[in-house]
Amino acid sequence: MKYSAMLVAAGVLSAGTAFAQGAPIKIGVLYPLTGGGAVYGAPALVGHQMAIEELNAKGGIMGRKVESLERDDKLNPATASSTMKELITKDKVDIVLGGLASSVGLAMTEVSKQEKVVYISTIPKSIQITTDKLHKYVFRTSANTDQEGEAMAILAGKNKLAKICHLELDYAYGNDLEAGILKAMPKYAPDAKIVLTLKPKLGATDFNPFIPQVMAAGCDGVLSGLWGPHFVSWVKQAAPLGFFNKIKWISGGEVGSHEIAGELKGEYPDNVISNTYELWYKGNDPSHKEFQEKLAKKLNTQETPQWAALGYIGVMYAAAAMEKAKSTDPDKVAEALEGLSIGTPVGTLTIDAKTHQANIGQFWGPMVKKPDRAYRMMEPAEYIQPK
Amino acid sequence: MPQRRDLIASAIVVLLLALLPLAGSRYAIDLTTEVMIYALFALSLNVLIGFTGNISFGHAAYFAIGGYACAILLTTYGWPLALALPAAVVLAGLVAAVVGYFCVRLTQIYFAMLTLAFAMLVWGVAFKWKEVTGGDDGFTGIKMPEIIAHHVGYFYFTLVVVAAGIAALWVICHSAFGLTLVAIRENSVRAGFIGVDTRHMRWAAFTVAGTFGGLAGALFGMYHRGMYIENAFWTESANVLIMVLLGGIYSFIGPIIGAAVLHLLQTFTNQYTPYWPTVLGLILLVIVMVLPDGLIGLVRRVRARGGRP
């Protein structure tokens, strides 16, 4: 008894000394925290902070405390570029995470290449980050537009769509997603034909010129990249015309997330099949429940946003890579990240050693009414994970 | 000719800047490089605002043209820097000349709105011409000559180019041409009566401003190894306008001070709070209510009160 008490005491002591050893490990992160992007950036940052708190509670990384340096990227690539340089040269961060817009992700990819510091892209989907602009120090833990496009093509095939109307926003993400879909269509939906492609502007709020064109084209399905507020506006303008009565709406851009369902509530239309990175009410991994409960407590709401998971996973990867490399040296961390598998709230993920892309999946499914809820929920939600 | 006192002061500033890399702080070098680029950008705009009395809301257009042109010539076409940089500057100047040709037909608010319209047109081209400019993904991965690829090398390169640019602008602004511009600013009708072709002169000022704005843009693009459509957006034009107003439009060095203060303030604020726009709003309020002639004006007033010349 006495002996075991001493053991415990020794354990506590050694844990205590381990905790205090070495200078803190600095993790820099950029998300949009003001302006239009803050709706996504702020919850992602909450997930990021939660992961860092957990790490520190467990004694940090390699026994060193973790310090988080958080900055606003203002959705502006030049600002992101300057701020990231500042984090590296002035604050001497060991790794940089984050970004939201594709352009910001690409700007950060460029700084990472110049400064030889590892950058993990946690939200930007631009395919270029893991293709043309790929280099030794850049990695991605979010999905990319090829994966999202492939899932949409699979769903078009499964739903036996014959005549498809294609809606994409006219900017980087929309164009890349369109390319991803077109690449995957011959394989997964060989019988489908795109009869109409329309490209509203990014930030558009008036879709009245587009809605009648789609309704007149006689499509049995729409493939859409209209995310967030664009989808909400489209629904508000098109649903009263009976738009969603006959058309299957297969959408990327995470309009199947609870954020959108909760915003539209009773106005959320029928026949929508969409995606989300995470659902507060459904997990595909045992660890999801604990993650979600913690997040709910932190945000003081049961219905937590999906973006937090992306911020969280980024930090988990950074920590796992440093532990594996037993170093914060960027070259060693980059090598450690190649092929690294870790357990996350959305299941085990692996970063491909060649493309530096994690095989993160998304939940896809129809958004259905629930008798006891004011909002729609995804059911059945299928987790589609790229191979 | 510049006064001896001014020449000595400038030489000391350049010398002190040249010694900066010896201090060994990478961060200070980067920050100073950025400030120098913005100083040139603000100074180029002041040829229009302070000297000619024409407010442009679209100066970012020439900054972006210079930046994109230099980036594309270096990277896509593999031109050497010695060709790409002058070509980019000339292109920015040419576009400014064409745009200016139309703009100077108008005055005051109509002039300002037209400059804004043309700038948004440039933004539109950068956004839509995806194959060449990279669209809203931006144009990243600019190929740099080995000699200036390192941050210290680039710092000296920027120092030399900006110092030369500022010297050139000083000569232009203090020449007979510059004084004529001041005459136009003070009383355009009267300047016309004494035989000044005010439209031609304003057109020339517009072209000069665009040319040096393009030079600043080229330096900016190479510094970041990327150009983005945000650099052509009206917010960038507003930013440089505020730099000029903050420093003081009726002084040659005012915009340099304004650029340094605003950029440093923005950088340091961002380290503590994301609410830079609030801070910027307060700065604007102070400029308009208390400092109509900028920081330089404030210094002059304080000196005058102290009874010194």
Side-chain angles (χ1 to χ4, degrees):
Chain A
M1 189 68 200
K2 215 175 182 180
Y3 183 66
S4 65
M6 264 171 71
L7 261 184
V8 170
V12 169
L13 273 177
S14 63
T17 50
F19 192 81
Q21 260 169 16
I25 287 177
K26 291 181 176 178
I27 298 184
V29 65
L30 271 75
Y31 285 118
L33 304 175
T34 51
V39 196
Y40 313 98
L45 185 64
V46 171
H48 175 92
Q49 290 165 336
M50 200 170 100
I52 289 190
E53 282 161 23
E54 280 178 22
L55 280 174
N56 280 332
K58 276 187 241 155
I61 301 173
M62 298 182 292
R64 287 164 65 185
K65 202 173 162 294
V66 183
E67 197 182 320
S68 171
L69 290 101
E70 297 144 8
R71 298 285 186 269
D72 183 13
D73 71 25
K74 300 183 168 74
L75 271 187
N76 183 326
T79 305
S81 170
S82 292
T83 313
M84 182 167 163
K85 267 192 190 174
E86 177 187 293
L87 283 172
I88 294 167
T89 59
K90 175 170 158 283
D91 301 304
K92 311 262 187 288
V93 295
D94 296 296
I95 193 166
V96 182
L97 314 176
L100 181 119
S102 289
S103 55
V104 168
L106 287 161
M108 292 176 75
T109 303
E110 184 63 31
V111 176
S112 142
K113 184 176 164 189
Q114 276 174 54
E115 305 295 335
K116 300 188 170 49
V117 168
V118 174
Y119 163 51
I120 300 180
S121 157
T122 54
I123 304 185
K125 283 181 182 165
S126 166
I127 189 71
Q128 289 186 52
I129 294 175
T130 45
T131 52
D132 306 352
K133 306 283 180 187
L134 178 67
H135 58 81
K136 186 179 174 189
Y137 303 99
V138 68
F139 297 84
R140 181 192 351 243
T141 53
S142 55
N144 65 43
T145 44
D146 276 4
Q147 296 169 345
E148 195 172 25
E150 186 178 284
M152 286 170 76
I154 291 172
L155 288 166
K158 269 191 191 162
N159 285 282
K160 303 196 172 47
L161 298 185
K163 287 173 80 181
I164 291 175
C165 288
H166 197 166
L167 288 175
E168 292 293 352
L169 294 171
D170 189 11
Y171 81 115
Y173 167 67
N175 294 325
D176 287 351
L177 182 58
E178 182 187 23
I181 291 172
L182 294 181
K183 224 187 286 178
M185 285 250 307
K187 186 170 170 198
Y188 297 104
D191 306 324
K193 223 178 104 196
I194 292 176
V195 293
L196 176 74
T197 301
L198 293 176
K199 292 196 166 181
K201 279 195 179 57
L202 172 66
T205 51
D206 178 12
F207 293 105
N208 287 311
F210 301 102
I211 295 165
Q213 288 187 60
V214 178
M215 291 180 78
C219 314
D220 47 8
V222 172
L223 295 181
S224 156
L226 270 51
W227 50 266
H230 306 93
F231 175 72
V232 171
S233 299
W234 183 286
V235 167
K236 291 195 171 170
Q237 288 155 30
L241 308 173
F243 180 91
F244 289 93
N245 295 350
K246 277 181 249 159
I247 288 178
K248 269 256 182 294
W249 180 279
I250 297 172
S251 176
E254 289 86 32
V255 302
S257 64
H258 178 72
E259 287 92 304
I260 304 295
E263 185 181 344
L264 278 168
K265 294 207 173 76
E267 284 181 89
Y268 204 105
D270 292 326
N271 289 324
V272 175
I273 300 173
S274 184
N275 58 339
T276 177
Y277 279 107
E278 189 254 0
L279 287 167
W280 64 266
Y281 46 83
K282 186 177 161 78
N284 59 334
D285 190 86
S287 69
H288 176 259
K289 194 166 177 282
E290 195 194 331
F291 164 80
Q292 202 275 329
E293 276 166 5
K294 258 191 199 165
L295 188 63
K297 217 168 149 194
K298 204 166 158 68
L299 291 172
N300 220 354
T301 168
Q302 181 56 38
E303 297 135 4
T304 53
Q306 57 149 344
W307 301 101
L310 294 180
Y312 186 85
I313 291 169
V315 176
M316 288 184 80
Y317 252 113
M322 287 177 186
E323 292 281 5
K324 185 182 163 196
K326 294 194 178 60
S327 163
T328 54
D329 179 65
D331 288 278
K332 288 182 185 154
V333 173
E335 276 157 33
L337 275 166
E338 290 180 352
L340 182 60
S341 289
I342 64 165
T344 74
V346 293
T348 303
L349 302 183
T350 306
I351 288 185
D352 187 273
K354 277 216 185 71
T355 62
H356 291 190
Q357 166 72 48
N359 63 340
I360 190 167
Q362 291 199 317
F363 292 95
W364 289 87
M367 300 299 286
V368 297
K369 276 186 190 143
K370 300 296 273 181
D372 53 338
R373 301 280 185 181
Y375 44 79
R376 291 196 179 222
M377 293 167 103
M378 191 185 284
E379 201 178 276
E382 184 193 357
Y383 195 71
I384 300 183
Q385 192 168 15
K387 272 135 226 147
Chain B
M1 280 314 276
Q3 284 184 358
R4 208 161 146 187
R5 199 187 58 177
D6 294 343
L7 272 179
I8 293 171
S10 318
I12 291 174
V13 170
V14 172
L15 198 71
L16 283 178
L17 283 173
L19 292 176
L20 182 79
L22 298 180
S25 163
R26 166 76 199 278
Y27 179 58
I29 295 171
D30 281 355
L31 204 55
T32 313
T33 309
E34 285 183 320
V35 166
M36 288 193 294
I37 294 170
Y38 279 118
L40 180 62
F41 186 28
L43 215 48
S44 72
L45 176 61
N46 202 37
V47 174
L48 264 184
I49 297 182
F51 284 86
T52 324
N54 289 268
I55 296 203
S56 164
F57 282 154
H59 201 50
Y62 314 103
F63 186 73
I65 290 170
Y68 270 112
C70 187
I72 291 164
L73 291 175
L74 279 175
T75 314
T76 314
Y77 295 98
W79 284 24
L81 182 71
L83 277 178
L85 184 62
V89 172
V90 167
L91 185 69
L94 278 178
V95 176
V98 173
V99 171
Y101 178 80
F102 296 102
C103 289
V104 296
R105 268 141 220 280
L106 304 174
T107 53
Q108 295 169 8
I109 188 76
Y110 305 101
F111 169 87
M113 291 328 279
L114 198 58
T115 57
L116 176 63
F118 275 111
M120 289 313 287
L121 210 64
V122 171
W123 177 84
V125 170
F127 180 28
K128 280 288 182 185
W129 202 10
K130 201 171 158 48
E131 304 80 50
V132 176
T133 63
D136 52 348
D137 275 342
F139 189 97
T140 60
I142 297 177
K143 283 202 193 105
M144 301 271 282
E146 205 55 36
I147 187 161
I148 56 167
H150 190 256
H151 61 271
V152 174
Y154 197 72
F155 171 83
Y156 283 118
F157 176 71
T158 308
L159 180 61
V160 169
V161 174
V162 168
I166 291 177
L169 279 170
W170 198 96
V171 171
I172 292 172
C173 288
H174 291 80
S175 65
F177 167 67
L179 295 177
T180 313
L181 294 182
V182 174
I184 294 171
R185 178 191 79 199
E186 288 302 313
N187 194 332
S188 146
V189 177
R190 209 164 178 183
F193 270 123
I194 56 170
V196 173
D197 186 344
T198 55
R199 193 183 280 174
H200 255 98
M201 286 295 158
R202 287 169 59 224
W203 186 24
F206 198 100
T207 310
V208 168
T211 307
F212 284 90
L215 179 60
L219 289 173
F220 178 89
M222 287 191 284
Y223 170 72
H224 281 289
R225 308 278 169 97
M227 280 303 290
Y228 309 97
I229 55 168
E230 283 79 358
N231 298 128
F233 206 56
W234 66 266
T235 45
E236 191 80 22
S237 299
N239 203 38
V240 67
L241 189 61
I242 295 169
M243 284 175 179
V244 171
L245 291 174
L246 176 64
I249 59 171
Y250 298 125
S251 144
F252 182 78
I253 63 164
I256 302 178
I257 309 287
V261 171
L262 197 76
H263 186 68
L264 294 177
L265 214 55
Q266 178 169 10
T267 306
F268 296 141
T269 311
N270 204 24
Q271 288 168 18
Y272 299 102
T273 163
Y275 297 107
W276 166 248
T278 316
V279 180
L280 187 64
L282 292 173
I283 293 174
L284 256 182
L285 211 66
V286 170
I287 296 176
V288 174
M289 310 281 285
V290 193
L291 297 171
D293 41 6
L295 293 170
I296 291 289
L298 179 72
V299 171
R300 280 183 187 157
R301 267 187 283 164
V302 169
R303 272 193 186 172
R305 192 164 289 179
R308 281 183 293 162

